[in-house]
């Protein structure tokens, strides 16, 4: 039997804010030559580059600042645009997407339309307590969006390493917003993890270890599915 050239992997990173899923997504993108498609980055790009007088942009920003998830039609429109632009060249690592069951179901439809491989979901598990500790401590440069952690030298200096701007706590990293985000996350993740588990496409990973150890566990869990 002649087998066709294997299609690129598609991965979905699930986990609470601060679980390091963005970092893991980037590492996986590099390891498997995939495009890192971050829902959060797409929204931040719209907020930063869009016309602030545009009611749609203002709406996206208001939700973003309050830690409220974006509606499905907006998330899907932005994601599908990126997929249609890039699917001939690469597979994807989705990060902060899907963030609802309708989005997950729509993604199943989209992968069929573009003849992509079924996505494998990777759930990075981190408790609420640990999430609060991680997020309320991190600082951020408004100018170039770099994130700093307490162990970084620039964090102690309070200024961005690349541009020298004063570091601030991101509006969605304030403790009350973090608690709200985690509560929302728990509701969503229960539904999404059941969905991918029922498809036999969920890998559960302990996120409360070092970046390197989390990555090693992901690679081990992925190995039988490559
Ligand atoms: Zn900066």
């Amino acid at each position: 039997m002649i087998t066709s050239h294997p299609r690129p992997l598609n991965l979905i990173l699930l986990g609470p804010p601060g679980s390091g899923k963005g970092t893991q997504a980037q590492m996986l993108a590099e390891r498997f030559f995939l495009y890192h498609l971050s829902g959060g980055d797409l929204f931040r790009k719209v907020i930063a580059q869009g016309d602030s007088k545009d009611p749609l942009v203002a709406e996206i920003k208001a939700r973003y600042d309050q830690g409220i998830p974006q509606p499905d039609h907006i998330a899907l429109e932005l994601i599908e645009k990126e997929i249609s632009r890039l699917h001939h060249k690469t597979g994807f690592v989705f990060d902060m997407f899907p963030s609802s069951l309708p989005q997950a179901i729509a993604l199943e439809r989209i992968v069929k339309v573009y003849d992509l491989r079924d996505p494998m979901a990777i759930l990075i598990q981190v408790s609420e307590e640990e999430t609060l500790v991680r997020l309320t401590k991190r600082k951020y440069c408004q100018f170039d969006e770099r994130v700093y952690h307490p162990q970084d030298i620039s964090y102690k200096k309070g200024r961005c390493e690349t541009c020298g701007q004063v570091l601030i706590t991101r509006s969605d990293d304030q403790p009350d917003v973090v608690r709200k985000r985690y509560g929302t996350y728990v509701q969503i993740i229960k539904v999404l993890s059941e969905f991918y588990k029922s498809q036999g496409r969920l890998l559960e990973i302990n996120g409360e270890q070092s970046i390197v150890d989390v990555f090693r566990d992901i690679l081990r869990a992925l190995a039988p599915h490559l």
Side-chain angles (χ1 to χ4, degrees), residues 141 143-146 148 160-165:
C141 169
F143 189 72
D144 52 27
E145 303 192 344
R146 282 193 64 166
Y148 292 92
C160 178
E161 187 180 286
T162 32
C163 72
Q165 286 275 326

Side-chain angles (χ1 to χ4, degrees), residues 3 7 14 45 84 120 125 133 163 218:
T3 51
R7 289 172 297 169
L14 302 173
K45 208 155 88 183
S84 70
M120 181 67 71
Q125 292 169 311
V133 169
C163 72
I218 292 174

Side-chain angles (χ1 to χ4, degrees), residues 9-21:
L9 273 177
N10 291 295
L11 304 173
I12 295 167
L13 269 288
L14 302 173
S19 59
K21 62 182 182 302

Side-chain angles (χ1 to χ4, degrees), residues 23-225:
T23 305
Q24 297 296 333
Q26 194 53 46
M27 290 163 80
L28 287 162
E30 282 164 23
R31 167 66 68 111
F32 296 108
F33 306 103
L34 306 173
Y35 185 79
H36 179 191
L37 189 39
S38 155
D41 285 350
L42 281 182
F43 296 130
R44 281 194 282 276
K45 208 155 88 183
V46 169
I47 291 166
Q49 295 171 2
D51 177 0
S52 59
K53 287 184 201 114
D54 181 338
L56 182 64
V57 174
E59 234 180 86
I60 291 174
K61 182 179 187 316
R63 279 193 219 95
Y64 183 85
D65 287 344
Q66 293 171 60
I68 301 169
Q70 304 291 339
D72 294 334
H73 70 276
I74 291 180
L76 282 165
E77 191 186 316
L78 295 179
I79 290 282
E80 189 162 1
K81 209 184 271 176
E82 291 292 272
I83 293 175
S84 70
R85 187 167 73 84
L86 295 161
H87 76 280
H88 286 301
K89 297 176 193 151
T90 180
F92 299 91
V93 183
F94 299 100
D95 160 17
M96 301 273 288
F97 178 87
S99 60
S100 72
L101 185 59
Q103 288 178 22
I105 292 167
L107 182 61
E108 297 288 301
R109 175 187 61 75
I110 293 169
V111 298
K112 282 183 180 64
V113 167
Y114 293 97
D115 194 29
L116 307 178
R117 217 157 122 183
D118 287 335
M120 181 67 71
I122 298 165
L123 172 59
I124 302 177
Q125 292 169 311
V126 179
S127 68
E128 178 168 11
E129 204 179 322
E130 174 69 15
T131 298
L132 258 173
V133 169
R134 288 185 185 186
L135 289 203
T136 52
K137 276 188 186 160
R138 71 182 185 181
K139 300 237 159 144
Y140 156 85
C141 169
Q142 262 181 311
F143 189 72
D144 52 27
E145 303 192 344
R146 282 193 64 166
V147 174
Y148 292 92
H149 302 278
Q151 66 270 25
D152 300 332
I153 293 162
S154 301
Y155 184 100
K156 290 170 192 122
K157 290 185 185 154
R159 287 191 178 270
C160 178
E161 187 180 286
T162 32
C163 72
Q165 286 275 326
V166 174
L167 301 178
I168 57 156
T169 301
R170 212 158 74 183
S171 55
D172 59 344
D173 285 346
Q174 306 288 349
D176 50 339
V177 182
V178 171
R179 277 193 205 92
K180 199 153 94 187
R181 286 164 76 194
Y182 197 90
T184 309
Y185 159 77
V186 168
Q187 289 174 359
I188 293 167
I189 213 63
K190 196 172 175 294
V191 179
L192 285 178
S193 52
E194 275 165 17
F195 176 74
Y196 288 111
K197 203 172 204 165
S198 73
Q199 311 269 332
R201 287 193 260 124
L202 180 72
L203 307 175
E204 292 170 88
I205 306 292
N206 171 18
E208 297 193 17
Q209 20 173 19
S210 72
I211 291 171
V212 174
D213 288 346
V214 171
F215 190 59
R216 179 207 57 209
D217 284 1
I218 292 174
L219 292 182
R220 275 188 195 157
L222 260 181
H225 305 278

